[in-house]
Amino acid sequence: MENGVVENGVCSSEAVDGSRDVWSCKTSDSASADHLVIMANGILGSVTDWKFAAEKFVETLPDKVFVHCSERNVSRLTLDGVDVMGERLAEEVLEVIQRKPNLNKISFVAHSVGGLVARYAIGKLYRPPKSENVEDSSISECSTESTGTIGGLEAMNFITVATPHLGSRGNKQVPFLFGIPVFERAASFVIHLIFRRTGRHLFLNDDDGGKPPLLKRMIEDQEDCYFMSALRAFKRRVAYSNVGSDHIVGWRTSSIRRDSELPKWEDVVNEKYPHIVYEERCKGFDAEQSETSSMEDDGSDKIEEELVTGLSRLSWEKVDVSFHSSSQRFAAHSIIQVEENQSSLIQNPIIFYLSHLHFPTRSVFRDLHVLLSSIKGFNSNRFLPRIALQHSFHARRQLIFPPNSTGLRGTLAFLKSSMELKICCAGGFSKSSPSYPLSPPPIRSKPQASSLSTSPNSPLPFFKARSFVSVNSGCRKNKPIRSQSSDFQTANNGFVLEDVPHLTNFLTDLPSYPNPLQRFQAYGIVEQAFVSSKDVVAEKIVVQKDSPRGVHFRRAGPREKVYFKSEEVRACIVTCGGLCPGINTVIREVVCGLNYMYDVEDILGIEGGYKGFYSKNTLRLTPKVVNDIHKRGGTFLRTSRGGHDTHKIVDNIQDRGINQVYIIGGDGTQRGAALIYEEVKKRGLQVAVAGIPKTIDNDIAVIDKSFGFDTAVEEAQRAINAAHVEVESVENGVGIVKLMGRYSGFIAMYATLASRDVDCCLIPESPFFLEGKGGLFEFMERRLKENGHMVIVLAEGAGQEYVAKDMQHVTEKDASGNRLLLDAGFWLSEKIKNHFTKVQKMAINLKYIDPTYMIRAIPGNASDNIYCTLLAHSAVHGAMAGYSGFTVGPVNGKHAYIPISRVTEVQKTVNMTDRMWARLLASTNQPSFLDCKAL
């Protein structure tokens, strides 16, 4: 690849040190390319290892990426040690960033030892958040302000291929030594003679001033290297590995698994995808899930176990590749980077899978031929290249493969989905992205995630791959690999557990104690007082006969063992965000639950929201103090929006000796709770963080409903009844009632269904128009002619686009980051008056009622008070049992512990194609304002 223009409009330039930049020759494309992709070679490798991938990547995404192929560590320079190479790579990346000021994002793609070098480099490049002043609902998992950056850029994808993450410390981790102990021990003594300092790092026998081996140090943040924080900052981490025929790097070390976690190879491979034999998405582990693995069973030593455990704290996507059927299988370690073309794949539905909108594609490591076929206007038959790649082990030896040779890394497909489709870590997607007919389900499990019991006879479908496998076994040993299927369906018993963190994840020696409830009289008569570790709650209970079991959550409730002594507990409660009926009930029941059930006496109330941690005095809470607060509206502890500063909050928690934190608030508040948990974990504090979701709008995802919702619907009836009485008493009376519902119209919809006096309900999810055939004005004219009056219920977020356009309003936000809404009720009232008086020449009597703040300020009704009690008790049981970083809520009527990320990744909205909305349309007989095609 010479300097200047190459085929298909791809430009490149070579620096003095031999590194190469690749970008689009089109000025407009290169100016908009803001995503830096760093490609790093392995031992004895060079820039040519990524020559083809860099060119094709830019050709595929010319306006998205700027590719830099590193040459700072080549040939014999790769023998200088992982740390030295990492320092050089970090300097090289900073130089590129300085040269390209328009860059905003960064990804790494590394082969073999280059993956370890990249891990070291990002540890040096990591920049902690400048400010963690996270506001109530503006906190986002995609925010670089809350996760830190890599060299000042947003970290997107970290991809390694055949990288020895666990080193090469015997245990058959170097296949060409045949697993013979004598050879492995001998190799550790002579490896430095061949690969010098890098060899010592790989065999974990380096001793820098008495420090632990470098790879072991890299599973923790060090003084000047934030190794784990940097890895955590990336939206996705992917590890490709060869299941066999890789004689340089063992399968176990490159896939970050124990022996018992390696699926058993089956000699059955799908003809369409002959090399990808298994895919797995793993969440960060917790203690209960890791207990089923033992070092003795795995055949691993102590250091290797520490490396597996340390790296498994983060989520990884693992792709297993087999070259058993390839003529180049003996060079599997290198041909994992080579491109393969198979024209038979072009029409496969995987095209849609790659471009699906709901989440970043799991189908990494795809044939480039398939990927390019999915790009509009690309002629896949035009491109059948020859590839010259340098073998990364045999120095300077090039392997030339014909067009039908084996497998270019599907890195292009992986990054294409996360950059071209603008997919965020929380699962959001660009509204402008097209839709596709296929909708494969997202993977949310980790390998050990559904290991609910160590019993060898319990069915434990332990991970979700392209084909589900359920085996009656307590561990993952000898699980078969399944080749990928083309229909995206799972086996009938597919099971996924979305688990929550536990304190023993990072405090491994934390002792447990018998639950004090065993002595509590109220629970003495309960037949099954404690929840079993096997109990889970299904996210979906309406399924087809042959459908997978699907996603489950850990059931809430008391456990037999707790991880806090009652006399050592110091708990605190904080309320954040807006008001909602039932807040005081939750506060009361958390206090009473801790005191009555667990004999906890030291409970603090944090006044004034998040900022109360560091700017307000606390209030001592006892059952006597909170005895009657459930009869009042608002919050006994007062509240505020914004004010979240993670470091200050955790500093205060640590200084006051608090070890249980109960956080009551909406989705933004829960994001803040997640950040507090992460900081607590980082500091190694025994602090349980429990979230109790609060939103009057009922827009919290996953859970059945939020507390205060029933009260809001009931109180809304008073306003609707008042409006109906008013308009029924006059000629051509029109009543407009504005209810809560910033983004979700649940209150308006349910209040309308409960009332039966409403003629039309307008919510944010259902666009409407005023004039013309089928519009609101036409419907109003007809209804007034028929009945002589009508009532309209309007959610506050409905029609905001029309109001802003008419008023030429600039969007503003409150302290929580919520968009400040304009008064849609007042706007609609004026529009209706103008239409009927000026256009129709018809006198109307219009009444506008806004009861929103009256509804927010009342105490919870009977239904909500019971619900708040269950939420509070579930949170207390979870915290005492050692769970942390979770939120509670009912899922299909059963309370569960839910990862905070699940309730904050999206807002729940009214489904316009659901029967409930159809019931409303049938009740009011109003037009839907949308045809079926629009839906």
Side-chain angles (χ1 to χ4, degrees), residues 862-915:
S863 174
D864 270 323
N865 277 339
I866 295 172
Y867 179 28
C868 290
T869 301
L870 296 178
L871 286 174
H873 286 191
S874 294
V876 169
H877 293 317
M880 291 298 296
Y883 292 110
S884 186
F886 68 93
T887 191
V888 297
V891 180
N892 297 313
K894 297 294 184 181
H895 283 245
Y897 297 135
I898 307 164
I900 292 178
S901 60
R902 281 303 313 276
V903 300
T904 59
E905 61 186 359
V906 295
Q907 284 184 314
K908 183 170 67 175
T909 57
V910 175
N911 185 354
M912 304 308 298
T913 61
D914 188 66
R915 289 193 182 93

Side-chain angles (χ1 to χ4, degrees), residues 422-473:
K422 303 176 184 177
I423 297 179
C424 194
C425 60
F429 53 90
S430 167
K431 291 184 178 179
S432 62
S433 303
S435 59
Y436 294 92
L438 295 178
S439 179
I443 296 179
R444 298 186 181 276
S445 65
K446 65 166 282 186
Q448 306 96 326
S450 51
S451 298
L452 301 180
S453 170
T454 57
S455 170
N457 298 318
S458 58
L460 298 174
F462 50 92
F463 48 67
K464 182 171 181 179
R466 190 157 293 112
S467 293
F468 278 89
V469 183
S470 179
V471 180
N472 291 335
S473 173

Side-chain angles (χ1 to χ4, degrees), residues 194-219:
I194 305 172
F195 293 115
R196 299 195 316 215
R197 196 159 182 268
T198 300
R200 290 190 182 277
H201 287 154
L202 290 177
F203 276 72
L204 287 84
N205 57 11
D206 54 304
D207 183 10
D208 296 336
K211 296 179 181 179
L214 177 63
L215 296 192
K216 182 179 177 181
R217 282 180 273 149
M218 286 171 61
I219 62 173

Side-chain angles (χ1 to χ4, degrees), residues 525 688-689 873:
I525 61 173
V689 180
H873 286 191

